[in-house]
Amino acid sequence: MIAAVSALGMTSVLGGCGSTGSSDVTLKLVAADYGDSPADNSQKYWDKLARAYESQHSGVKIDVKVYSWTDVDRKVKEMVDAGDPPDLAQIGAYADYAAQDRLYKADDLLSIAVQADFLDQLSDAGQVRHLQYGIPFAASTRVLFYNKTLFDQAHLTPPKTWDDLAADAEALKAKGVKYPYALPLGPEEAQAETMQWLLSGGAGYTDDIGTYTINSPQNAETFTWLRDELVGKGLTGPVAPGKLNRANAFDAFAKGQVGMLNGHPTLMKKAAKAGVKFGMVPVPGKNGTPKATMGVTDWMMAFKKGGHKKQIGEFLDYVYSEKNVLDFSREYDLLPVTTSASEAMADAPQDKNLWPFLQELSLAQLYPAGKTSWAQVSAEVKKRIGGTVAPGGDPTGVLNQLQTAASEAEAKENAR
């Protein structure tokens, strides 16, 4: 998915370049920046890791360039289009490059032990036509954040069902809360909020065999409920959901203006820094905890053109060691993509703040990232989904339009 924002929903600043020098082989890596300031720019993580690797592997140099999520996917595409792709790219989507036969398969590169260590659902999401090209790099899930102070003032308990959520939102509105429930269906990350609600309603973007089912009856019921029971009753705040972006919703939560919203781990640091007392619970489902929550993964991929298969594979085995996976996850409040690092995090008191998200990961369902059509479908969702909950909105009609767009995109994909 070529996007201006990470699939994990983070923005960042432009990074610099890794070190250069003469060596037998120089691996070029382009990576995304997960930091939110120059002080924690991902360039520092990669430079430290690269120097440590080079000290143990003479004859190999790792040249890293880190770019913001606003730029990184475009930078890689420009390099590919110019005929000079990097050896490695850590970005938001891989399927287009896999479909163009530009990538090494994961089992061409990684040791058996490293391949076996990836969490199964993440490895599965990295497949195109049952072959894995996308290597999971960082993961995230969603939970419901709520403002403890506002809940205490209204004598509320966290919701477990949609009806609970609506009742809590009504009570928060009566107390003058600006956004009782923040519903960001704006173009920045509407596909994420949409997917979380589809899952909580018992469906999703696709069925169990991966066919788009966006206009299913369950999905229509979900958005009809949102239109009538939340948005129509003025429980989602002064900004129309179709114009509210995720970053603005997070900012409002950090200002104490939001009672509830779906959030990922980076919101913890933002809210805590602002002095907001918050709690986290599983996202409510229609009748209780849904059978699946939303998970997001960003990807590592290796381009074939440079021909450095052996060196790439050895470097990736190092990148995915338990220590390095944990170091990165802890630095940026993300979830490990390997079983060994996940188990270590689950046993480490220092990672207690990430445990609620880690517990959700085993139940997580990811975007259909292995479909080259997903980028187009995601763009259509961002453009249209806000109309389902607007005054006079037609959820069934909008979902039918999205289904038509998805079916046409998938037909083109299958015709390749």
Side-chain angles (χ1 to χ4, degrees):
M1 177 171 53
I2 306 302
V5 178
S6 162
L8 297 178
M10 304 171 198
T11 59
S12 50
V13 296
L14 182 63
C17 300
S19 68
T20 59
S22 60
S23 61
D24 294 336
V25 172
T26 296
L27 296 182
K28 295 181 179 180
L29 166 64
V30 173
D33 186 7
Y34 291 82
D36 56 11
S37 71
D40 64 352
N41 187 287
S42 295
Q43 187 74 50
K44 295 181 179 180
Y45 170 84
W46 282 113
D47 283 347
K48 181 179 178 182
L49 184 144
R51 300 301 82 80
Y53 183 79
E54 291 168 355
S55 71
Q56 301 172 28
H57 298 79
S58 60
V60 178
K61 204 76 171 176
I62 310 297
D63 178 12
V64 186
K65 290 183 173 66
V66 171
Y67 297 98
S68 72
W69 276 107
T70 305
D71 297 322
V72 68
D73 286 331
R74 175 178 55 81
K75 289 285 187 180
V76 172
K77 185 176 185 300
E78 288 172 355
M79 295 171 73
V80 171
D81 290 346
D84 186 28
D87 296 286
L88 290 155
Q90 187 275 296
I91 53 177
Y94 67 88
D96 276 348
Y97 298 127
Q100 296 164 15
D101 195 29
R102 296 181 184 274
L103 303 180
Y104 286 115
K105 297 190 296 293
D107 60 9
D108 288 337
L109 302 167
L110 302 169
S111 67
I112 293 174
V114 169
Q115 287 187 72
D117 198 24
F118 287 112
L119 297 169
D120 287 343
Q121 75 269 37
L122 304 186
S123 292
D124 291 346
Q127 295 181 3
V128 173
R129 303 187 191 281
H130 308 294
L131 295 173
Q132 185 182 353
Y133 296 91
I135 304 171
F137 182 72
S140 176
T141 57
R142 298 295 193 271
V143 299
L144 184 79
F145 282 72
Y146 65 96
N147 184 309
K148 283 187 172 182
T149 301
L150 297 178
F151 265 61
D152 289 345
Q153 290 172 351
H155 307 292
L156 299 175
T157 56
K160 295 181 179 179
T161 67
W162 287 1
D163 287 344
D164 294 342
L165 188 148
D168 285 352
E170 286 275 16
L172 291 166
K173 181 184 178 183
K175 289 288 186 179
V177 175
K178 187 173 183 178
Y179 295 90
Y181 177 85
L183 182 65
L185 295 177
E188 179 194 338
E189 208 186 15
Q191 83 285 358
E193 185 75 9
T194 296
M195 182 170 176
Q196 186 59 71
W197 276 99
L198 297 182
L199 291 172
S200 72
Y205 285 120
T206 62
D207 61 18
D208 291 340
I209 61 172
T211 302
Y212 286 113
T213 53
I214 298 173
N215 63 343
S216 69
Q218 299 101 308
N219 290 345
E221 289 174 10
T222 294
F223 275 90
T224 299
W225 186 89
L226 282 171
R227 181 195 64 188
D228 296 344
E229 302 301 324
L230 285 188
V231 182
K233 293 182 178 180
L235 302 179
T236 54
V239 180
K243 296 186 180 298
L244 181 64
N245 281 329
R246 188 268 317 160
N248 299 119
F250 279 19
D251 287 344
F253 188 84
K255 293 175 182 176
Q257 298 173 344
V258 175
M260 301 172 281
L261 83 172
N262 293 330
H264 52 62
T266 58
L267 182 56
M268 294 188 299
K269 186 180 295 184
K270 187 179 186 72
K273 187 176 180 180
V276 173
K277 295 181 180 179
F278 62 90
M280 299 179 295
V281 294
V283 173
K286 184 176 182 180
N287 299 307
T289 302
K291 66 179 181 179
T293 188
M294 188 184 76
V296 178
T297 300
D298 292 332
W299 302 97
M300 180 74 76
M301 63 209 71
F303 288 87
K304 294 191 293 187
K305 184 165 185 180
H308 297 141
K309 180 171 69 172
K310 179 177 183 294
Q311 292 86 356
I312 291 171
E314 291 174 349
F315 177 62
L316 288 177
D317 280 353
Y318 181 79
V319 168
Y320 286 101
S321 69
E322 179 182 319
K323 176 185 182 300
N324 287 330
V325 171
L326 275 173
D327 284 350
F328 187 87
S329 300
R330 287 167 172 162
E331 178 68 25
Y332 298 106
D333 284 335
L334 294 167
L335 302 181
V337 295
T338 61
T339 300
S340 60
S342 295
E343 291 175 348
M345 180 174 279
D347 291 336
Q350 74 184 87
D351 298 315
K352 188 175 182 179
N353 62 334
L354 286 169
W355 288 351
F357 301 93
L358 194 62
Q359 291 166 1
E360 296 292 305
L361 191 55
S362 63
L363 301 173
Q365 187 173 125
L366 281 72
Y367 298 132
K371 294 176 174 288
T372 58
S373 57
W374 171 241
Q376 183 176 339
V377 173
S378 176
E380 289 294 320
V381 170
K382 292 177 183 181
K383 185 190 306 181
R384 299 176 186 272
I385 200 66
T388 60
V389 297
D394 178 10
T396 298
V398 173
L399 295 178
N400 282 338
Q401 292 173 352
L402 291 171
Q403 179 66 33
T404 298
S407 298
E408 291 175 351
E410 191 164 40
K412 291 179 182 177
E413 176 181 357
N414 293 335
R416 289 187 177 185

